[in-house]
């Protein structure tokens, strides 16, 4: 079974927390499932969980190159040069990081309010960009956007491979059978 969860803001990608923060068990009742990849505490969006080790590896192993689509609300007015730099690659402390694609987008339709909301500054505009990655390192999108001068204010993972957030409200889940998940992965082409 594959579970699609729209992980809310400030939820840990684990099932227990000694500090009492919100965790996955607050949203997922299925036993013996594990995340196929991670999503930071302060990021929102699509998180996949499964009880199938082979499926988890196929989705999350870097060699699988399953694309992940992120929507980032960033501080500043995005330039074509900044988008080109994300695409060409930027140097991070743990090596080069490159987006499969990076583009400016309008604020996504039907986006839920985040609690608490992002900070707003009257003198500094904000913009939305879509960043597609074929790898996933710790806080990678945030570090990449900061490197090109666009600090991330809000980060939402919209898609992982063939699965998206469409029709999935924050904190809600949808289940897919292993057979359906494997079939959907057949449509995924490497970057």
């Amino acid at each position: 079974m594959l579970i699609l969860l729209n992980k809310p803001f400030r939820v840990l990608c684990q099932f227990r927390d000694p500090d009492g923060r919100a965790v996955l068990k607050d949203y997922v009742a299925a036993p013996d499932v594990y995340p196929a990849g991670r999503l930071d505490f302060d990021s929102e969006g699509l998180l996949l969980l499964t009880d199938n080790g082979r499926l988890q590896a196929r989705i999350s192993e870097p060699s699988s190159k399953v694309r992940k689509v992120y929507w980032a609300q960033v501080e500043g007015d995005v330039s074509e040069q900044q988008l080109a730099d994300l695409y060409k690659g930027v140097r991070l402390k743990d090596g080069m990081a490159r987006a499969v694609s990076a583009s400016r987008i309008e604020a996504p339709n039907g986006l839920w309010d985040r609690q608490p909301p992002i900070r707003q500054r009257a003198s500094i505009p904000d913009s939305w960009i879509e960043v597609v990655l074929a790898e996933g390192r710790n806080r990678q999108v945030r570090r990449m956007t900061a490197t090109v001068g666009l600090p991330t204010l809000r980060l939402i993972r919209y898609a992982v491979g063939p699965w998206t957030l469409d029709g999935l409200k924050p904190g809600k889940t949808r289940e897919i059978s292993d057979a359906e998940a494997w079939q959907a992965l057949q449509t995924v082409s490497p970057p």
Side-chain angles (χ1 to χ4, degrees), residues 43 51 53 74-75 91 109 118-119 161 188:
S43 297
D51 57 358
V74 296
E75 188 174 270
R91 180 163 304 283
N109 284 332
I118 66 157
R119 68 177 187 270
V188 176

mmCIF file of all heavy atoms in Angstrom, residues 43 51 53 74-75 91 109 118-119 161 188:
data_model
loop_
_atom_site.group_PDB
_atom_site.id
_atom_site.type_symbol
_atom_site.label_atom_id
_atom_site.label_comp_id
_atom_site.label_asym_id
_atom_site.label_seq_id
_atom_site.Cartn_x
_atom_site.Cartn_y
_atom_site.Cartn_z
ATOM 1 N N SER A 43 8.277 22.445 6.193
ATOM 2 C CA SER A 43 7.788 22.363 4.814
ATOM 3 C C SER A 43 6.446 21.635 4.815
ATOM 4 O O SER A 43 6.137 20.885 5.736
ATOM 5 C CB SER A 43 8.782 21.610 3.928
ATOM 6 O OG SER A 43 10.007 22.317 3.857
ATOM 7 N N ASP A 51 4.390 0.427 3.244
ATOM 8 C CA ASP A 51 4.826 -0.730 4.022
ATOM 9 C C ASP A 51 5.637 -1.691 3.153
ATOM 10 O O ASP A 51 5.983 -2.781 3.578
ATOM 11 C CB ASP A 51 3.629 -1.455 4.641
ATOM 12 C CG ASP A 51 2.605 -1.911 3.615
ATOM 13 O OD1 ASP A 51 2.771 -1.639 2.404
ATOM 14 O OD2 ASP A 51 1.617 -2.545 4.024
ATOM 15 N N GLY A 53 9.090 -2.299 1.250
ATOM 16 C CA GLY A 53 10.475 -1.841 1.183
ATOM 17 C C GLY A 53 10.985 -1.603 -0.225
ATOM 18 O O GLY A 53 11.726 -0.653 -0.472
ATOM 19 N N VAL A 74 9.132 32.801 -2.324
ATOM 20 C CA VAL A 74 10.447 33.335 -1.982
ATOM 21 C C VAL A 74 10.385 34.843 -1.783
ATOM 22 O O VAL A 74 9.508 35.518 -2.313
ATOM 23 C CB VAL A 74 11.498 32.990 -3.073
ATOM 24 C CG1 VAL A 74 11.711 31.483 -3.158
ATOM 25 C CG2 VAL A 74 11.107 33.558 -4.427
ATOM 26 N N GLU A 75 11.345 35.323 -1.029
ATOM 27 C CA GLU A 75 11.459 36.758 -0.781
ATOM 28 C C GLU A 75 12.190 37.390 -1.951
ATOM 29 O O GLU A 75 13.268 36.939 -2.342
ATOM 30 C CB GLU A 75 12.231 36.974 0.510
ATOM 31 C CG GLU A 75 12.255 38.394 0.990
ATOM 32 C CD GLU A 75 12.914 38.489 2.351
ATOM 33 O OE1 GLU A 75 12.214 38.375 3.366
ATOM 34 O OE2 GLU A 75 14.151 38.647 2.362
ATOM 35 N N ARG A 91 26.599 25.833 -5.956
ATOM 36 C CA ARG A 91 27.468 25.113 -5.037
ATOM 37 C C ARG A 91 26.920 25.270 -3.616
ATOM 38 O O ARG A 91 26.767 26.379 -3.121
ATOM 39 C CB ARG A 91 28.894 25.634 -5.097
ATOM 40 C CG ARG A 91 29.827 24.891 -4.142
ATOM 41 C CD ARG A 91 31.282 25.072 -4.449
ATOM 42 N NE ARG A 91 31.662 24.694 -5.794
ATOM 43 C CZ ARG A 91 31.826 23.434 -6.230
ATOM 44 N NH1 ARG A 91 31.580 22.431 -5.435
ATOM 45 N NH2 ARG A 91 32.206 23.204 -7.472
ATOM 46 N N ASN A 109 -3.347 28.074 -7.382
ATOM 47 C CA ASN A 109 -4.792 28.157 -7.145
ATOM 48 C C ASN A 109 -5.208 27.200 -6.044
ATOM 49 O O ASN A 109 -4.687 26.091 -5.948
ATOM 50 C CB ASN A 109 -5.571 27.806 -8.424
ATOM 51 C CG ASN A 109 -5.553 28.921 -9.427
ATOM 52 O OD1 ASN A 109 -5.435 30.084 -9.066
ATOM 53 N ND2 ASN A 109 -5.670 28.570 -10.689
ATOM 54 N N ILE A 118 3.151 33.344 6.619
ATOM 55 C CA ILE A 118 4.521 33.807 6.406
ATOM 56 C C ILE A 118 4.625 35.268 6.821
ATOM 57 O O ILE A 118 3.621 35.980 6.891
ATOM 58 C CB ILE A 118 4.981 33.648 4.939
ATOM 59 C CG1 ILE A 118 4.176 34.565 4.021
ATOM 60 C CG2 ILE A 118 4.893 32.216 4.494
ATOM 61 C CD1 ILE A 118 4.874 34.883 2.722
ATOM 62 N N ARG A 119 5.861 35.705 7.075
ATOM 63 C CA ARG A 119 6.057 37.116 7.411
ATOM 64 C C ARG A 119 5.913 37.942 6.128
ATOM 65 O O ARG A 119 6.365 37.539 5.063
ATOM 66 C CB ARG A 119 7.420 37.342 8.055
ATOM 67 C CG ARG A 119 8.576 37.135 7.098
ATOM 68 C CD ARG A 119 9.917 37.443 7.774
ATOM 69 N NE ARG A 119 10.995 37.404 6.810
ATOM 70 C CZ ARG A 119 11.698 36.325 6.502
ATOM 71 N NH1 ARG A 119 11.424 35.180 7.079
ATOM 72 N NH2 ARG A 119 12.662 36.376 5.611
ATOM 73 N N GLY A 161 7.171 12.071 -8.381
ATOM 74 C CA GLY A 161 6.909 11.184 -9.520
ATOM 75 C C GLY A 161 5.532 11.466 -10.100
ATOM 76 O O GLY A 161 5.181 12.622 -10.351
ATOM 77 N N VAL A 188 7.089 7.017 -15.134
ATOM 78 C CA VAL A 188 8.108 7.983 -14.733
ATOM 79 C C VAL A 188 9.353 7.789 -15.572
ATOM 80 O O VAL A 188 9.926 6.707 -15.620
ATOM 81 C CB VAL A 188 8.448 7.828 -13.232
ATOM 82 C CG1 VAL A 188 9.579 8.756 -12.849
ATOM 83 C CG2 VAL A 188 7.226 8.082 -12.389
#
